[in-house]
C-alpha cells in the first residue's frame, strides 16, 4: 500500500439512520481543481466527499507519477454534512517526499465502483513556488441562530435543525483555490472542539457567507472558530471565538420551536468567557496542531 488511511473521529455519531435515507456520496471538490495552476514540491492535496452516506472507504485518493502511485499519507477527517444523514469526509494527501520540479503528477480520486464519472483526475506540472507564512488569522462572526423546521418531507430531513448564519473573512485570497477553511464548533474556550465543516477559500479572498445546519441533538455549543490552511499544509492561527448572539429557547415537545429573530452579534455573549482566554486558546490550539502533524509518520 503506497498510502496510509488514518480516519480521525472528529464528529459525534449521527442519529439512527432510516433505511430510506441511504444514498451514495459524491465528490464535491478537489484541490488542485484544474491544471491551470501548477503545484509546489511540498504541496498537499485534498478531496471533499459528501451528499450521501457512503463510508470513507468508498473513495480512494492517490497521487500518480508516470502512472504509478506515489508514496503518501492520506488522512480522512469526518464531519457533519448539510443534510440530516449526510456524512462528509475531507481527504488530505501528503507525499512522503518532495515532488520533482518540472515533472508532471496526477491527483487521482476513484470510486469503489470503478465508474470514471464518479471520480476525477487532475494532472499538472510541479514548479518552484515562494511560500509565505500565514502570519495572521481569519475572522468569523455569527450573525444569527435559530431553531428552524426541516423540509418536512420525511425521515431523511431535519425534523428541527439548529441553523447558524456566519461570515468568515479569510487570511488572504487564493487564486489557485488550494486553501481551505476548517470550521470548529464548541461551547466554551476550554471545551472540546468539534470539526464541523471544510470550505475552500474564495479565489478573491471575499467574505464567505455560510448557513451551518445541525441536527438538534448535536448540542455542541453555540461558538465557532475557524483556521485557514494553505496548499502547503501551513495552518494559520485560529480566529477569535465567535458565539451566537442569543440563547435558543427550549424546543417544544409539540413541534419545532419558532425561529429566532436575527439579533446583532454580541462579543460578550453566552458561552464566550474571556477569563483565562489566552491560556485556554493556547491549550486548545495545541490540540488543533495535533490534527496538522501530517508530516510526521
Amino acid at each position: 500500500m503506497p498510502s496510509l488511511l488514518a480516519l480521525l473521529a472528529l464528529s459525534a455519531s449521527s442519529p439512527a439512520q432510516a433505511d430510506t435515507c441511504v444514498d451514495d456520496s459524491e465528490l464535491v471538490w478537489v484541490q488542485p481543481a484544474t491544471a491551470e495552476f501548477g503545484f509546489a514540491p511540498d504541496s498537499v492535496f485534498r478531496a471533499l466527499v459528501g451528499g450521501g452516506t457512503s463510508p470513507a472507504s468508498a473513495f480512494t485518493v492517490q497521487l500518480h507519477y508516470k502512472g504509478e502511485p506515489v508514496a503518501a499519507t492520506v488522512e480522512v477527517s469526518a464531519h457533519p454534512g448539510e443534510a440530516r444523514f449526510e456524512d462528509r469526509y475531507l481527504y488530505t494527501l501528503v507525499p512522503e517526499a518532495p515532488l520533482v520540479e518540472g515533472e508532471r503528477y496526477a491527483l487521482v480520486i476513484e470510486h469503489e465502483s470503478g465508474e470514471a464519472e464518479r471520480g476525477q483526475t487532475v494532472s499538472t506540472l510541479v514548479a518552484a513556488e515562494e511560500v509565505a507564512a500565514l502570519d495572521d488569522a481569519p475572522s468569523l462572526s455569527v450573525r444569527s441562530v435559530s431553531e428552524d423546521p426541516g423540509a418536512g418531507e420525511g425521515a431523511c430531513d431535519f425534523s428541527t435543525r439548529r441553523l447558524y448564519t456566519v461570515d468568515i473573512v479569510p487570511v488572504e485570497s487564493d487564486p489557485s483555490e488550494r486553501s481551505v477553511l476548517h470550521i470548529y464548533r464548541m461551547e466554551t474556550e476550554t471545551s472540546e472542539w468539534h470539526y464541523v465543516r471544510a470550505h475552500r477559500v474564495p479565489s478573491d479572498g471575499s467574505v464567505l457567507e455560510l448557513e451551518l445546519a445541525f441536527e438538534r441533538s448535536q448540542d455542541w455549543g453555540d461558538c465557532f472558530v475557524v483556521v485557514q490552511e494553505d496548499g502547503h499544509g501551513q495552518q494559520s492561527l485560529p480566529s477569535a471565538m465567535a458565539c451566537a448572539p442569543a440563547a435558543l429557547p427550549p424546543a417544544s415537545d409539540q413541534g419545532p420551536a419558532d425561529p429566532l429573530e436575527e439579533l446583532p452579534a454580541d462579543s460578550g455573549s453566552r458561552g464566550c468567557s474571556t477569563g483565562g482566554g489566552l491560556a485556554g486558546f493556547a491549550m486548545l490550539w495545541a490540540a488543533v496542531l495535533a490534527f496538522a502533524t501530517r508530516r510526521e509518520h
Side-chain angles (χ1 to χ4, degrees), residues 113-200:
S113 66
E115 299 173 4
E117 62 272 16
R118 303 196 63 181
Q120 188 171 339
T121 298
V122 180
S123 176
T124 189
L125 292 173
V126 177
E129 182 177 297
E130 185 175 345
V131 181
L134 295 175
D135 294 327
D136 206 348
S139 64
L140 181 150
S141 61
V142 184
R143 290 193 283 115
S144 68
V145 59
S146 62
E147 289 282 344
D148 183 56
E153 298 176 356
C156 300
D157 301 311
F158 290 110
S159 54
T160 301
R161 62 178 185 169
R162 188 164 292 183
L163 182 67
Y164 301 86
T165 56
V166 303
D167 292 338
I168 298 175
V169 180
V171 174
E172 58 186 23
S173 62
D174 187 353
S176 67
E177 295 188 342
R178 290 180 298 178
S179 297
V180 66
L181 295 163
H182 303 289
I183 305 173
Y184 300 84
R185 181 182 171 197
M186 68 288 294
E187 184 175 0
T188 67
E189 291 173 346
T190 56
S191 62
E192 181 180 358
W193 288 22
H194 297 269
Y195 187 34
V196 297
R197 209 59 50 92
H199 280 272
R200 285 186 294 188

Coordinates of all heavy atoms in Angstrom, one line a residue, residues 113-200:
S113 N -16.7 1.7 -7.2 CA -17.5 1.1 -8.3 C -16.6 1.0 -9.6 O -17.0 0.2 -10.5 CB -18.7 1.9 -8.6 OG -18.4 3.2 -9.1
G114 N -15.6 1.8 -9.7 CA -14.8 1.9 -10.9 C -15.3 2.8 -11.9 O -14.7 2.9 -13.0
E115 N -16.5 3.4 -11.7 CA -17.1 4.3 -12.7 C -16.3 5.6 -12.7 O -16.2 6.3 -11.7 CB -18.6 4.6 -12.3 CG -19.4 3.3 -12.2 CD -20.8 3.6 -11.7 OE1 -21.1 4.8 -11.4 OE2 -21.6 2.6 -11.5
A116 N -15.8 5.9 -13.9 CA -14.9 7.1 -14.1 C -15.6 8.4 -13.7 O -15.0 9.3 -13.2 CB -14.4 7.1 -15.5
E117 N -16.9 8.5 -14.0 CA -17.6 9.7 -13.8 C -17.8 10.0 -12.3 O -18.2 11.1 -12.0 CB -19.0 9.7 -14.5 CG -19.9 8.6 -14.1 CD -19.8 7.3 -14.8 OE1 -18.7 7.1 -15.5 OE2 -20.7 6.5 -14.7
R118 N -17.6 9.1 -11.5 CA -17.7 9.3 -10.0 C -16.4 9.7 -9.4 O -16.4 10.0 -8.2 CB -18.3 8.0 -9.4 CG -19.6 7.5 -10.0 CD -20.3 6.6 -9.1 NE -20.7 7.2 -7.8 CZ -21.3 6.5 -6.8 NH1 -21.6 5.3 -7.0 NH2 -21.6 7.1 -5.7
G119 N -15.4 9.8 -10.1 CA -14.1 10.2 -9.6 C -13.6 11.4 -10.4 O -14.3 12.0 -11.2
Q120 N -12.3 11.7 -10.3 CA -11.7 12.8 -11.0 C -10.2 12.7 -11.1 O -9.6 12.1 -10.1 CB -12.1 14.1 -10.4 CG -11.7 15.4 -11.2 CD -12.3 16.6 -10.6 OE1 -13.3 16.6 -9.9 NE2 -11.7 17.8 -11.0
T121 N -9.6 13.1 -12.1 CA -8.1 13.2 -12.3 C -7.7 14.6 -12.7 O -8.3 15.1 -13.6 CB -7.7 12.1 -13.3 OG1 -8.0 10.8 -12.9 CG2 -6.1 12.2 -13.4
V122 N -6.8 15.1 -11.9 CA -6.2 16.4 -12.2 C -4.7 16.3 -12.4 O -4.0 15.8 -11.5 CB -6.5 17.5 -11.1 CG1 -5.9 18.8 -11.5 CG2 -8.0 17.6 -10.9
S123 N -4.2 16.7 -13.6 CA -2.8 16.5 -13.9 C -2.2 17.8 -14.2 O -2.7 18.6 -14.9 CB -2.6 15.6 -15.1 OG -1.3 15.5 -15.5
T124 N -1.0 18.1 -13.6 CA -0.3 19.4 -13.9 C 1.1 19.2 -13.5 O 1.6 18.2 -12.9 CB -1.0 20.5 -13.1 OG1 -0.4 21.8 -13.5 CG2 -0.8 20.4 -11.6
L125 N 1.9 20.3 -13.8 CA 3.4 20.2 -13.5 C 3.7 20.8 -12.2 O 3.0 21.6 -11.6 CB 4.1 21.1 -14.6 CG 4.0 20.5 -16.0 CD1 4.6 21.6 -17.0 CD2 4.8 19.2 -16.1
V126 N 4.9 20.3 -11.7 CA 5.4 20.8 -10.4 C 6.4 21.9 -10.7 O 7.2 21.8 -11.6 CB 6.1 19.7 -9.6 CG1 6.8 20.2 -8.4 CG2 5.2 18.5 -9.3
A127 N 6.2 23.0 -10.0 CA 7.1 24.2 -10.2 C 7.4 24.8 -8.8 O 6.6 24.7 -7.9 CB 6.4 25.2 -11.1
A128 N 8.6 25.4 -8.8 CA 9.0 26.1 -7.5 C 8.1 27.2 -7.2 O 7.5 27.8 -8.1 CB 10.4 26.6 -7.7
E129 N 7.8 27.4 -5.9 CA 6.9 28.4 -5.5 C 7.4 29.1 -4.2 O 7.8 28.3 -3.3 CB 5.5 27.8 -5.3 CG 4.4 28.8 -4.9 CD 3.1 28.1 -4.8 OE1 2.6 27.6 -5.9 OE2 2.5 28.0 -3.7
E130 N 7.3 30.4 -4.1 CA 7.7 31.1 -2.9 C 6.6 30.9 -1.9 O 5.4 31.2 -2.2 CB 8.0 32.5 -3.2 CG 8.5 33.3 -2.0 CD 8.8 34.7 -2.3 OE1 8.9 35.1 -3.5 OE2 9.0 35.5 -1.4
V131 N 7.0 30.4 -0.7 CA 6.0 30.2 0.3 C 6.0 31.3 1.4 O 7.0 31.6 2.0 CB 6.2 28.8 1.0 CG1 5.2 28.5 2.1 CG2 6.3 27.7 0.0
A132 N 4.8 31.9 1.5 CA 4.7 33.0 2.5 C 3.9 32.4 3.7 O 3.0 31.7 3.6 CB 3.9 34.2 1.9
A133 N 4.4 32.7 4.9 CA 3.8 32.2 6.1 C 2.4 32.9 6.3 O 2.2 34.0 5.9 CB 4.7 32.5 7.3
L134 N 1.5 32.2 6.9 CA 0.2 32.7 7.3 C 0.3 33.4 8.7 O 0.1 32.7 9.7 CB -0.8 31.6 7.3 CG -1.1 31.0 6.0 CD1 -2.1 29.8 6.1 CD2 -1.7 32.0 5.0
D135 N 0.8 34.6 8.7 CA 1.1 35.3 9.9 C -0.2 35.8 10.7 O -0.1 36.1 11.8 CB 2.1 36.5 9.7 CG 3.4 36.0 9.2 OD1 3.8 34.9 9.7 OD2 4.1 36.7 8.5
D136 N -1.2 35.9 9.9 CA -2.5 36.5 10.5 C -3.4 35.4 10.8 O -3.1 34.2 10.6 CB -3.1 37.5 9.6 CG -3.9 38.6 10.3 OD1 -4.2 38.4 11.5 OD2 -4.2 39.6 9.6
A137 N -4.7 35.7 11.2 CA -5.7 34.8 11.5 C -7.0 35.2 10.7 O -7.2 36.4 10.6 CB -6.0 34.7 13.0
P138 N -7.8 34.2 10.3 CA -9.0 34.6 9.7 C -10.0 35.1 10.8 O -9.7 35.0 12.0 CB -9.6 33.3 9.1 CG -8.9 32.2 9.9 CD -7.6 32.8 10.3
S139 N -11.1 35.7 10.4 CA -12.1 36.2 11.4 C -13.4 35.6 11.1 O -13.7 35.2 9.9 CB -12.2 37.7 11.4 OG -12.6 38.2 10.1
L140 N -14.2 35.4 12.1 CA -15.5 34.8 12.0 C -16.5 35.5 12.9 O -16.2 35.9 14.0 CB -15.4 33.3 12.4 CG -16.7 32.4 12.3 CD1 -16.3 31.0 12.0 CD2 -17.5 32.5 13.6
S141 N -17.7 35.7 12.4 CA -18.8 36.3 13.2 C -20.0 35.5 13.0 O -20.3 35.0 11.9 CB -19.0 37.8 12.8 OG -19.4 37.9 11.4
V142 N -20.8 35.4 14.0 CA -22.1 34.6 14.0 C -23.2 35.7 14.0 O -23.4 36.4 14.9 CB -22.3 33.7 15.2 CG1 -23.6 32.9 15.0 CG2 -21.1 32.8 15.3
R143 N -23.9 35.8 12.9 CA -25.0 36.8 12.7 C -26.3 36.4 13.4 O -27.0 37.3 13.9 CB -25.2 37.2 11.3 CG -24.0 37.9 10.6 CD -24.3 38.5 9.3 NE -24.4 37.5 8.2 CZ -25.5 37.1 7.6 NH1 -26.6 37.7 7.8 NH2 -25.4 36.2 6.6
S144 N -26.6 35.1 13.3 CA -27.9 34.7 13.9 C -27.9 33.2 14.2 O -27.1 32.5 13.6 CB -29.1 35.1 12.9 OG -29.0 34.3 11.8
V145 N -28.9 32.8 15.0 CA -29.1 31.4 15.3 C -30.6 31.2 15.4 O -31.3 32.1 16.0 CB -28.3 30.9 16.5 CG1 -28.7 31.7 17.8 CG2 -28.5 29.5 16.8
S146 N -31.1 30.1 15.0 CA -32.5 29.8 15.1 C -32.7 28.3 15.2 O -31.9 27.5 14.8 CB -33.3 30.4 13.9 OG -32.8 29.8 12.7
E147 N -33.9 28.0 15.8 CA -34.4 26.6 15.7 C -35.3 26.6 14.5 O -36.4 27.2 14.5 CB -35.2 26.2 16.9 CG -34.3 26.0 18.2 CD -33.6 24.7 18.1 OE1 -34.0 23.8 17.3 OE2 -32.6 24.5 18.9
D148 N -34.9 25.9 13.4 CA -35.5 26.0 12.1 C -36.2 24.7 11.7 O -35.5 23.7 11.8 CB -34.5 26.4 11.0 CG -35.1 26.7 9.7 OD1 -36.0 27.5 9.6 OD2 -34.7 26.0 8.7
P149 N -37.5 24.7 11.4 CA -38.1 23.5 11.0 C -37.5 22.9 9.7 O -37.1 23.7 8.8 CB -39.6 23.8 10.8 CG -39.6 25.3 10.5 CD -38.4 25.9 11.3
G150 N -37.4 21.6 9.6 CA -36.8 21.0 8.5 C -37.8 21.0 7.3 O -38.9 21.6 7.4
A151 N -37.4 20.4 6.2 CA -38.2 20.4 5.0 C -39.5 19.7 5.2 O -40.5 19.9 4.4 CB -37.4 19.8 3.8
G152 N -39.6 18.7 6.1 CA -40.8 18.0 6.4 C -41.2 17.0 5.4 O -42.4 16.7 5.2
E153 N -40.2 16.5 4.6 CA -40.5 15.6 3.5 C -40.3 14.2 3.9 O -40.3 13.3 3.0 CB -39.7 16.0 2.3 CG -40.1 17.4 1.7 CD -39.2 17.8 0.6 OE1 -38.3 17.0 0.2 OE2 -39.4 18.9 0.0
G154 N -40.1 13.9 5.1 CA -39.9 12.5 5.6 C -38.7 12.4 6.6 O -38.2 13.4 7.0
A155 N -38.4 11.2 6.9 CA -37.5 10.9 8.0 C -36.1 11.3 7.6 O -35.2 11.5 8.5 CB -37.5 9.4 8.4
C156 N -35.8 11.5 6.3 CA -34.4 11.9 5.9 C -34.1 13.3 6.1 O -33.0 13.8 6.0 CB -34.2 11.5 4.4 SG -34.5 9.8 4.1
D157 N -35.1 14.2 6.4 CA -34.9 15.6 6.6 C -34.8 15.9 8.0 O -35.3 15.2 8.9 CB -36.1 16.4 6.0 CG -36.3 16.1 4.5 OD1 -35.3 16.2 3.8 OD2 -37.4 15.8 4.1
F158 N -34.2 17.1 8.3 CA -34.2 17.5 9.7 C -35.6 17.7 10.2 O -36.4 18.4 9.6 CB -33.5 18.9 9.8 CG -32.0 18.8 9.6 CD1 -31.4 19.4 8.4 CD2 -31.2 18.3 10.5 CE1 -30.1 19.3 8.2 CE2 -29.8 18.2 10.3 CZ -29.2 18.8 9.1
S159 N -36.0 17.1 11.3 CA -37.3 17.4 11.9 C -37.2 18.9 12.5 O -38.1 19.7 12.2 CB -37.6 16.5 13.1 OG -36.5 16.4 14.0
T160 N -36.2 19.1 13.2 CA -35.8 20.5 13.6 C -34.3 20.6 13.5 O -33.6 19.8 14.0 CB -36.3 20.8 15.1 OG1 -37.7 20.6 15.2 CG2 -36.0 22.2 15.5
R161 N -33.9 21.7 12.9 CA -32.4 21.9 12.8 C -32.0 23.2 13.5 O -32.8 24.1 13.6 CB -32.0 21.9 11.4 CG -32.6 23.1 10.6 CD -32.1 23.1 9.1 NE -32.6 24.2 8.4 CZ -32.1 24.6 7.2 NH1 -31.2 23.9 6.6 NH2 -32.6 25.7 6.6
R162 N -30.8 23.2 14.0 CA -30.2 24.4 14.6 C -29.4 25.1 13.5 O -28.5 24.5 12.9 CB -29.4 24.1 15.8 CG -28.9 25.3 16.5 CD -28.4 24.9 17.9 NE -29.4 24.4 18.8 CZ -29.3 24.0 20.0 NH1 -28.1 24.1 20.6 NH2 -30.3 23.6 20.7
L163 N -29.9 26.3 13.1 CA -29.3 26.9 11.9 C -28.5 28.2 12.4 O -29.1 29.1 13.0 CB -30.4 27.3 11.0 CG -30.0 28.0 9.7 CD1 -29.2 27.0 8.8 CD2 -31.3 28.5 8.9
Y164 N -27.3 28.3 11.9 CA -26.4 29.4 12.2 C -26.1 30.1 10.9 O -25.7 29.4 9.9 CB -25.1 29.0 12.9 CG -25.3 28.3 14.2 CD1 -25.5 26.9 14.3 CD2 -25.3 29.0 15.4 CE1 -25.7 26.3 15.5 CE2 -25.4 28.3 16.6 CZ -25.6 27.0 16.7 OH -25.8 26.3 17.9
T165 N -26.1 31.4 10.9 CA -25.6 32.2 9.8 C -24.3 32.8 10.2 O -24.2 33.5 11.2 CB -26.6 33.3 9.3 OG1 -26.9 34.1 10.4 CG2 -27.9 32.6 8.8
V166 N -23.2 32.6 9.5 CA -21.9 33.0 9.9 C -21.2 33.7 8.7 O -21.5 33.4 7.5 CB -21.0 31.9 10.4 CG1 -21.7 31.2 11.6 CG2 -20.7 30.9 9.3
D167 N -20.3 34.7 9.0 CA -19.5 35.3 8.0 C -18.0 35.0 8.3 O -17.6 35.1 9.5 CB -19.7 36.8 8.0 CG -21.1 37.2 7.4 OD1 -21.7 36.4 6.7 OD2 -21.5 38.3 7.7
I168 N -17.2 34.6 7.3 CA -15.8 34.3 7.5 C -15.0 35.2 6.6 O -15.3 35.3 5.4 CB -15.5 32.8 7.3 CG1 -16.3 32.0 8.3 CG2 -14.0 32.6 7.4 CD1 -16.2 30.5 8.0
V169 N -14.0 35.9 7.1 CA -13.0 36.6 6.3 C -11.7 35.9 6.3 O -11.1 35.7 7.3 CB -12.8 38.0 6.9 CG1 -11.8 38.8 6.0 CG2 -14.2 38.8 7.0
P170 N -11.3 35.4 5.1 CA -10.0 34.6 5.1 C -8.8 35.5 5.4 O -8.9 36.7 5.3 CB -10.0 34.1 3.6 CG -11.4 34.3 3.1 CD -12.0 35.4 3.8
V171 N -7.7 34.8 5.7 CA -6.4 35.5 5.9 C -6.0 36.2 4.7 O -5.6 37.3 4.7 CB -5.3 34.5 6.4 CG1 -4.0 35.2 6.5 CG2 -5.7 33.9 7.7
E172 N -6.1 35.5 3.5 CA -5.7 36.1 2.3 C -6.4 35.3 1.2 O -7.0 34.3 1.4 CB -4.2 35.9 2.1 CG -3.7 34.5 2.1 CD -2.2 34.3 2.1 OE1 -1.5 35.3 2.4 OE2 -1.8 33.2 1.7
S173 N -6.4 35.9 0.0 CA -7.0 35.3 -1.2 C -6.2 34.2 -1.7 O -5.0 34.0 -1.3 CB -7.2 36.3 -2.3 OG -6.0 36.8 -2.7
D174 N -6.8 33.3 -2.5 CA -6.0 32.2 -3.1 C -6.5 31.9 -4.5 O -7.5 31.2 -4.7 CB -6.2 31.0 -2.2 CG -5.3 29.8 -2.7 OD1 -4.7 30.0 -3.8 OD2 -5.2 28.8 -2.0
P175 N -6.0 32.6 -5.5 CA -6.5 32.4 -6.9 C -6.4 31.0 -7.4 O -7.2 30.6 -8.2 CB -5.5 33.3 -7.7 CG -5.0 34.3 -6.8 CD -4.9 33.6 -5.5
S176 N -5.5 30.2 -6.8 CA -5.4 28.8 -7.2 C -6.4 27.9 -6.5 O -6.5 26.7 -6.9 CB -4.0 28.3 -6.9 OG -3.8 28.2 -5.5
E177 N -7.1 28.4 -5.5 CA -8.2 27.7 -4.8 C -7.6 26.4 -4.2 O -8.2 25.4 -4.1 CB -9.4 27.4 -5.7 CG -10.1 28.6 -6.2 CD -11.4 28.3 -6.9 OE1 -11.5 27.1 -7.4 OE2 -12.3 29.1 -7.0
R178 N -6.4 26.5 -3.6 CA -5.8 25.4 -2.9 C -5.9 25.5 -1.4 O -5.5 24.6 -0.7 CB -4.3 25.2 -3.4 CG -4.2 24.7 -4.8 CD -2.7 24.6 -5.2 NE -2.0 25.9 -5.1 CZ -0.7 26.0 -5.3 NH1 0.0 25.0 -5.6 NH2 -0.2 27.2 -5.2
S179 N -6.4 26.6 -0.9 CA -6.5 26.8 0.5 C -7.9 26.4 1.0 O -8.9 26.5 0.3 CB -6.2 28.3 0.9 OG -4.9 28.6 0.6
V180 N -8.0 26.0 2.3 CA -9.2 25.6 2.8 C -9.4 26.2 4.2 O -8.5 26.5 4.9 CB -9.3 24.0 2.9 CG1 -8.2 23.5 3.9 CG2 -10.7 23.5 3.3
L181 N -10.7 26.4 4.6 CA -11.0 26.9 5.9 C -11.6 25.7 6.7 O -12.6 25.1 6.3 CB -12.1 28.0 5.8 CG -11.6 29.3 5.1 CD1 -12.8 30.1 4.7 CD2 -10.6 30.1 6.0
H182 N -11.1 25.5 7.9 CA -11.5 24.4 8.8 C -12.4 25.1 9.9 O -11.9 26.0 10.6 CB -10.4 23.7 9.5 CG -9.4 23.1 8.5 ND1 -9.8 22.0 7.7 CD2 -8.2 23.4 8.1 CE1 -8.8 21.6 7.0 NE2 -7.8 22.4 7.2
I183 N -13.6 24.7 10.0 CA -14.5 25.4 11.0 C -14.8 24.4 12.1 O -15.1 23.2 11.9 CB -15.9 25.8 10.3 CG1 -15.6 26.7 9.1 CG2 -16.8 26.5 11.3 CD1 -16.8 27.0 8.3
Y184 N -14.7 24.9 13.3 CA -14.9 24.1 14.6 C -16.0 24.8 15.4 O -16.2 26.0 15.4 CB -13.6 24.1 15.4 CG -12.4 23.5 14.7 CD1 -11.6 24.3 13.9 CD2 -12.1 22.1 14.9 CE1 -10.5 23.7 13.2 CE2 -11.0 21.6 14.3 CZ -10.2 22.4 13.4 OH -9.1 21.8 12.8
R185 N -16.7 23.9 16.1 CA -17.8 24.4 16.9 C -17.6 23.9 18.4 O -17.1 22.7 18.6 CB -19.2 23.8 16.4 CG -20.4 24.2 17.2 CD -21.6 23.6 16.7 NE -22.8 23.8 17.5 CZ -23.9 23.1 17.4 NH1 -24.0 22.1 16.5 NH2 -24.9 23.3 18.3
M186 N -17.8 24.7 19.3 CA -17.6 24.4 20.7 C -18.5 25.2 21.7 O -19.2 26.1 21.2 CB -16.1 24.6 21.1 CG -15.7 26.1 21.1 SD -15.6 26.8 19.5 CE -14.2 25.9 18.8
E187 N -18.5 24.8 22.9 CA -19.3 25.5 23.9 C -18.6 26.7 24.6 O -19.1 27.8 24.7 CB -19.8 24.5 25.0 CG -20.8 25.1 26.0 CD -21.3 24.1 27.0 OE1 -20.9 22.9 26.8 OE2 -22.1 24.4 27.8
T188 N -17.4 26.4 25.0 CA -16.6 27.5 25.6 C -15.1 27.3 25.1 O -14.8 26.4 24.4 CB -16.6 27.4 27.1 OG1 -15.9 26.2 27.5 CG2 -18.0 27.4 27.7
E189 N -14.3 28.2 25.5 CA -12.9 28.2 25.1 C -12.2 26.9 25.5 O -11.2 26.4 24.8 CB -12.1 29.4 25.7 CG -12.5 30.7 25.1 CD -11.9 31.9 25.8 OE1 -11.3 31.7 26.9 OE2 -11.9 33.0 25.3
T190 N -12.6 26.3 26.6 CA -11.9 25.1 27.2 C -12.6 23.8 26.9 O -12.2 22.8 27.4 CB -11.6 25.3 28.7 OG1 -12.9 25.6 29.3 CG2 -10.7 26.5 28.9
S191 N -13.7 23.9 26.2 CA -14.5 22.6 25.9 C -13.9 22.0 24.6 O -13.1 22.6 23.9 CB -16.0 22.9 25.8 OG -16.2 23.8 24.7
E192 N -14.4 20.8 24.3 CA -14.0 20.1 23.1 C -14.3 20.9 21.8 O -15.4 21.4 21.7 CB -14.6 18.7 23.1 CG -14.2 17.9 21.9 CD -14.8 16.5 21.9 OE1 -15.6 16.2 22.8 OE2 -14.6 15.8 20.9
W193 N -13.4 20.9 20.9 CA -13.6 21.4 19.6 C -14.2 20.3 18.6 O -13.5 19.3 18.5 CB -12.3 22.0 19.0 CG -11.8 23.3 19.6 CD1 -12.1 23.7 20.8 CD2 -10.9 24.2 19.0 NE1 -11.5 24.9 21.1 CE2 -10.7 25.2 20.0 CE3 -10.3 24.3 17.8 CZ2 -9.9 26.3 19.7 CZ3 -9.5 25.4 17.5 CH2 -9.3 26.4 18.5
H194 N -15.3 20.6 18.0 CA -15.9 19.6 17.1 C -15.7 20.1 15.7 O -16.1 21.2 15.3 CB -17.4 19.4 17.3 CG -17.7 18.9 18.7 ND1 -17.9 17.5 18.9 CD2 -17.9 19.5 19.9 CE1 -18.1 17.3 20.2 NE2 -18.2 18.5 20.8
Y195 N -15.0 19.3 14.8 CA -14.8 19.7 13.5 C -16.1 19.6 12.7 O -16.6 18.5 12.6 CB -13.7 18.8 12.9 CG -13.2 19.2 11.5 CD1 -13.1 20.5 11.1 CD2 -12.8 18.2 10.6 CE1 -12.6 20.9 9.9 CE2 -12.3 18.6 9.3 CZ -12.2 19.9 9.0 OH -11.8 20.2 7.7
V196 N -16.6 20.7 12.1 CA -17.9 20.7 11.6 C -18.0 21.0 10.1 O -19.0 20.7 9.5 CB -18.9 21.6 12.4 CG1 -19.0 21.1 13.8 CG2 -18.4 23.1 12.3
R197 N -17.0 21.6 9.5 CA -17.1 21.9 8.1 C -15.8 22.3 7.5 O -14.9 22.8 8.2 CB -18.1 23.1 7.9 CG -18.9 23.1 6.6 CD -19.7 21.9 6.4 NE -20.6 21.5 7.5 CZ -21.8 21.9 7.6 NH1 -22.3 22.7 6.7 NH2 -22.5 21.5 8.6
A198 N -15.6 22.0 6.2 CA -14.4 22.4 5.4 C -14.9 23.1 4.2 O -15.8 22.6 3.5 CB -13.6 21.2 5.0
H199 N -14.4 24.3 4.0 CA -14.8 25.1 2.8 C -13.5 25.6 2.1 O -12.5 26.0 2.8 CB -15.6 26.3 3.2 CG -17.1 26.0 3.4 ND1 -18.0 26.0 2.4 CD2 -17.7 25.6 4.6 CE1 -19.2 25.6 2.9 NE2 -19.0 25.4 4.2
R200 N -13.6 25.7 0.8 CA -12.5 26.3 0.1 C -12.4 27.8 0.3 O -13.5 28.5 0.4 CB -12.6 26.0 -1.4 CG -12.2 24.6 -1.8 CD -12.2 24.3 -3.3 NE -13.5 24.5 -3.9 CZ -13.8 24.1 -5.1 NH1 -12.8 23.7 -5.9 NH2 -15.0 24.2 -5.6

